Amino acid sequence: METQPERIAILGGGVGAMTAAFWLSSVENWQERYQIDVYQMGWRLGGKGASGRNASMAQRIEEHGLHIWFGFYDNAFQLMQQTYAELARPPGSPLAAWTDAFKPQHFVCLAELIEASWRVWPIDTPQLPGTPGMPRGPETIGDIVGELLDWQRSWFESWAMTFLKHAGSPFRMGEHRESRLHDLLAAARAGLTAYEDVGDPLTVARKARDLARSSAKSAPGDGAAAADWPAVLKLLQELQHALHDVAAPFGDPDTWSDDWRRLYLALDTSLAVGVGMLMDDVIGKGFEVINHIDFRAWLTQHGAQPVSVNGAPVRGFYDLVFAYRNGNPAQPNIEAGTMLRGMLKVGLSYRGALMYKMQAGMGDVVFAPVYEVLKRRGVQFHYFHKLCELRPDASNTNVDEIELEQQIALLGDNYEPLVDVNGLPCWPSQPCYEQIDPRQAALLQAHDVNLESHWTNWPDVYRQATGASLPHKTLRRGIDFDHVVFGLSVASLAVVAQPLLKISDALKRCSDHIEAVATQAYQVWLNQDLQGIGWSDRGENDEEPVLSGFTEPFDTWASMDQLLCRETWPPDHTPKNIGYFCNALALDNYPQPGDSDFPARCATLVKATAIHQLQTDIGALWSEVGHRGFPWNWLVDPKEGAGVARFDSQYWRANVDPSERYVLSLVNTSQYRLHADKSGFANLFLAGDWLKTGLDAGCVEAAVMGGMQASRAICGVPAHIQGERGW
């Protein structure tokens, strides 16, 4: 008797779900072992990484927010490298290779509010050896401490050089204070030479790195000269005291020159990190040992000064991961260990460039290629299937039923989701209505129905038009599926998995404690280039800015001109610049699904605050805005509106749906994250950035790692997940 393949139902189409599908279908002769079906609400894949093309507006790219990949994303880049290699687009076609789709971004900026005035801190990050996604050798937390000490040494040298460079008036202070500073620097250097048994910081850094490597290779209990770590700690504490002694006579660092203040922030913050890691034994116990405290409080505890704790670098990282409870900027909150690990990975563990910019929308660059590869392999996709509920079997050990709402009726047997834009397969911003039952398509368009919304009015519209409810489908274990991969965000558990949460304590704790925050974003298409709007800072390679730490509620801005060639603007309305803005959205409660106006109310709020930022704040970055307010005629508007009405032709959104919210790492919550195979049900596997991945933070890399875990739990592949053990 021929053995039937095991049926795997993958729920959701985000990064975690698609990664699980990719690796499950990478097993040799996988179709003899498995049948894989993906069930997706609405018309496209991507989750909170989805993007769409607006056919009515020059096929412009519309995103959930700003998506840029970091150079330490080894698992995510490995996925892309394998996807593009298998896709094998013809040479010369759009985004033929992964290196066409992702371009290095070295240049970043931080916004500093100094004495009631915004200043830009431009940073050109160095090119580092290697390529993200390629195998890397073993690396330990101790290795990273050594690299951090290397940077501290260079910053101390830069501090001394900056003093000489600005001998005239580095702090805009009198000659007496400059002389006093020179004396203090000399005294600090003399004090450090007393530790001849330890050596200078660079020597210690190298010694620490060698020590960490030898310790990692030694058998348990060998000791491996671990007694040297107290000497390193003693040196760092002396450096910290010397730094504070030097700076104290000169008052508020905000009154210093930019060069001095920024070097001071780098030194003060990094010394507190080094001292804290050694005092709390992060090297020996892992980053989780300090997850009971917020990162800013942890820095303060280990000697960082308020100007550093609240400075642009720290604030920029909080902004990066939306680290605000309920999206409220007055409630910063993130586990110290999770934040520290992320900062060190971003800053010290990247390969090639610090970041990589996608050369089209994330849907075009990531999800369309993955979809095409999976479809070729034989994975089945079922669009317009909204997950309603997961139900257990009588023994409470397996998922027995999956209830789905069939959102629409198709004209044919299959839905073809992609559209061609200048030779590039892309996801549209709306369903392909021509593939939908004409009566339903007309209703959807007439009522402006959003089939991706948790609060959609479509069930009511359908009922009023037909006198019937939308049809439901129930998938049953042993008939329609054997295994389930849950690829939705953690916020969806409370919506669709209540019967399971009543049984699995672990899943219930995860759902209760791992929170997700709403986000907001807007995009503007300008008929002025960067010079025209009054922005002059560019990177060494003429790179455009990616900036964080600006005004709330949109603290992050990026110039995305690389996308202009992917859109189809007519000559008389061709933009010269695209600006992306994003941040968390302050919401502390969400209404019941029947409140279909809720998304529109949130979007109206986003629009109002976006207009306010352009009208009152953006001039701090775009100097040509001037005191009269934002020149609305800068906005590209095919409708040729007047004044602020031109903003109506831009794009904005509130990401409030459970599957769109960004996963947080609030203090002391990572302990409740689960591995993919620890749902409490034998046939339910989890995938996403809300799992216990070794990153434990919301990002593409963590989502890929979660999907890899799910695949491995089912089929054993992949055997290795880079960074899974906490570094």
Side-chain angles (χ1 to χ4, degrees), residues 219-502:
D222 281 359
D228 279 5
W229 284 114
V232 176
L233 173 60
K234 186 176 182 181
L235 173 61
L236 291 179
Q237 289 171 325
E238 187 65 25
L239 284 167
Q240 191 177 55
H241 294 152
L243 176 70
H244 294 162
D245 287 345
V246 166
F250 302 98
D252 185 357
D254 282 356
T255 65
W256 302 358
S257 70
D258 287 345
D259 287 347
W260 280 82
R261 183 184 64 259
R262 291 164 183 173
L263 280 169
Y264 179 82
L265 294 183
L267 282 165
D268 187 46
T269 304
S270 65
L271 284 168
V273 165
V275 168
M277 290 182 73
L278 294 177
M279 288 192 69
D280 293 334
D281 194 18
V282 173
I283 294 175
K285 298 178 180 178
F287 291 97
E288 291 78 7
V289 73
I290 56 174
N291 274 345
H292 63 284
I293 186 172
D294 176 72
F295 180 67
R296 280 173 161 162
W298 181 78
L299 285 177
T300 301
Q301 187 179 84
H302 291 292
Q305 300 302 294
V307 68
S308 303
V309 172
N310 300 309
V314 173
R315 192 175 70 253
F317 270 97
Y318 273 73
D319 293 345
L320 172 68
V321 292
F322 306 110
Y324 304 98
R325 185 185 289 272
N326 297 324
N328 187 342
Q331 298 183 51
N333 187 307
I334 188 170
E335 297 170 320
T338 298
M339 174 64 105
L340 178 60
R341 174 171 48 214
M343 291 178 71
L344 293 175
K345 279 186 173 289
V346 167
L348 298 178
S349 193
Y350 68 86
R351 292 194 285 180
L354 177 76
M355 300 185 294
Y356 290 79
K357 270 187 175 180
M358 286 177 275
Q359 301 302 296
M362 185 161 172
D364 312 335
V365 168
V366 176
F367 293 102
V370 168
Y371 164 72
E372 290 185 288
V373 166
L374 293 179
K375 185 180 178 183
R376 286 183 194 175
R377 291 180 177 182
V379 174
Q380 300 296 311
F381 288 85
H382 309 271
Y383 295 96
F384 305 105
H385 282 74
K386 181 179 180 180
L387 178 61
C388 298
E389 191 171 67
L390 299 173
R391 303 185 188 113
D393 62 5
S395 67
N396 293 337
T397 57
N398 286 280
V399 172
D400 202 47
E401 293 183 342
I402 303 171
E403 184 182 347
L404 301 164
E405 178 185 86
Q406 295 179 274
Q407 295 178 293
I408 55 92
L410 294 172
L411 283 178
D413 293 333
N414 296 301
Y415 181 74
E416 297 299 331
L418 302 179
V419 296
D420 183 282
V421 180
N422 290 336
L424 186 67
C426 303
W427 304 89
S429 288
Q430 294 182 322
C432 298
Y433 292 112
E434 68 276 8
Q435 299 183 50
I436 298 174
D437 174 87
R439 186 182 179 192
Q440 292 186 17
L443 283 171
L444 290 167
Q445 294 174 84
H447 292 271
D448 195 24
V449 170
N450 181 1
L451 291 174
E452 294 180 324
S453 174
H454 176 64
W455 290 273
T456 182
N457 61 344
W458 178 232
D460 293 334
V461 170
Y462 183 88
R463 187 180 302 108
Q464 291 169 8
T466 66
S469 298
L470 285 168
H472 281 223
K473 175 193 294 184
T474 300
L475 307 181
R476 291 179 169 83
R477 180 169 64 96
I479 300 173
D480 304 297
F481 69 90
D482 298 296
H483 306 293
V484 181
V485 175
F486 185 86
L488 284 69
S489 178
V490 67
S492 298
L493 284 172
V495 177
V496 301
Q498 282 296 333
L500 307 187
L501 300 183
K502 294 176 182 178

Side-chain angles (χ1 to χ4, degrees), residues 17 24 33 79 99 128 130 173 216 244 249 299 392 412 460 466 477 564 607 645 707 721:
L24 284 165
R33 298 175 58 184
L79 174 66
T99 49
L128 293 186
M173 298 177 179
H244 294 162
L299 285 177
D460 293 334
T466 66
R477 180 169 64 96
L564 288 170
K607 178 184 179 183
I721 302 175

Side-chain angles (χ1 to χ4, degrees), residues 79-102:
L79 174 66
M80 288 295 94
Q81 289 155 4
Q82 294 184 12
T83 295
Y84 276 82
E86 187 171 339
L87 191 60
R89 286 174 173 163
S93 61
L95 308 187
W98 80 271
T99 49
D100 300 322
F102 294 86

